[in-house]
Amino acid sequence: MKNELRYFFSALMFYTRLPCPPFKDYDPEDLNKATRYFPLIGWIIGLISVCFYLAGTWLFGFYTGILFSLMVGVLATGAFHEDGLADAFDGFGGGWTKARILEIMKDSRIGTYGSVSLIFLFGLKYLALAELLSHTSEKLIIILLFINYHALSRLTAISISFTTAYSRDDATSKVKPIATHHSRKEIAGAFITGLLPLAALAACHISYLIVIVPLSLLYYFSRRYFIHWIDGYTGDCLGAVEQIAECLCLLTFVALWKFM
């Protein structure tokens, strides 16, 4: 149990900016085992986001509440995944060889492709949340929707690392420590914590399970794309998939509400 807590707090420390207890016996290898809790981090970010949405809506209004939920999600993670999305778009948009793509993604500066991708990303998230949340006032459903789109997006992203080789030949990437071997415990833990919120949502209405289809397609085609261009994945690739998966979850839920 003590080890599992250490793995969990390793995940919390690596994937968020939330306070964690200090480690006296921290081991970089813990980051490998911490991947089992990556979707669980989505639960936490989803809960924080929905609290700020509800508080912001009560105090200032519906649309301000939505903006608050997006802002706190970025603050809680330190824009970790958004940074990956921007770097990935810059890399794949501006590079035509593996070496050049990896070089661009490693650059801390943001380019045109990255800037445009973030503008469309936040615009799409905001509009999708506004459309989705305008259809329901049930607190339980709202809470589950927030938890699901954060947990499922992280599960989709981390699944790529379970089945794909790491692209870089050096150890300069910030996710290199978690890009190596994953045991069955990491894979099983990620899928259990990633799918439990969806099971709860499906108990309210079975059609929510349809969200697995677009996320599976995203996993398949993004993995194939990364392998084609850079022979694997990088941390920026995972960040990009996580953010695109968030949008896909929200858009799928919006489409479902139109027919439910």
Side-chain angles (χ1 to χ4, degrees), residues 78-212:
F80 189 58
H81 309 299
E82 290 82 1
D83 177 65
L85 176 89
D87 286 343
F89 269 76
D90 278 336
F92 288 105
W96 292 100
T97 66
K98 174 182 176 179
R100 182 57 180 153
I101 291 170
L102 294 177
E103 180 185 356
I104 294 172
M105 285 199 287
K106 209 161 141 183
D107 192 334
S108 60
R109 294 169 297 181
I110 187 171
T112 301
Y113 292 105
S115 301
V116 171
S117 70
L118 289 175
I119 291 171
F120 281 110
L121 172 85
F122 283 111
L124 190 57
K125 279 189 189 178
Y126 183 88
L127 292 173
L129 278 169
E131 183 67 26
L132 179 65
L133 296 171
S134 66
H135 285 83
T136 181
S137 59
E138 295 182 42
K139 294 293 190 298
L140 177 60
I141 296 295
I142 291 173
I143 292 170
L144 287 175
L145 288 171
F146 269 88
I147 293 175
N148 267 282
Y149 95 80
H150 282 284
L152 289 171
S153 60
R154 284 160 173 80
L155 175 61
T156 305
I158 204 64
S159 294
I160 291 178
S161 73
F162 294 152
T163 58
T164 314
Y166 189 72
S167 180
R168 294 189 187 276
D169 296 324
D170 56 75
T172 57
S173 173
K174 59 190 172 184
V175 299
K176 181 65 174 177
I178 66 165
T180 55
H181 51 282
H182 300 287
S183 71
R184 292 179 181 178
K185 286 186 177 180
E186 279 71 68
I187 298 172
F191 274 87
I192 290 171
T193 55
L195 295 177
L196 269 178
L198 182 59
L201 196 58
C204 301
H205 203 293
I206 193 67
S207 62
Y208 283 114
L209 292 176
I210 293 175
V211 74
I212 293 174

Side-chain angles (χ1 to χ4, degrees), residues 18 27 35 48 62 67 69 73 76 109 152 226 231 238:
L18 301 176
D27 183 346
T35 54
I48 294 173
F62 177 69
L67 188 59
S69 76
R109 294 169 297 181
L152 289 171
F226 298 149
D231 302 319
L238 299 187

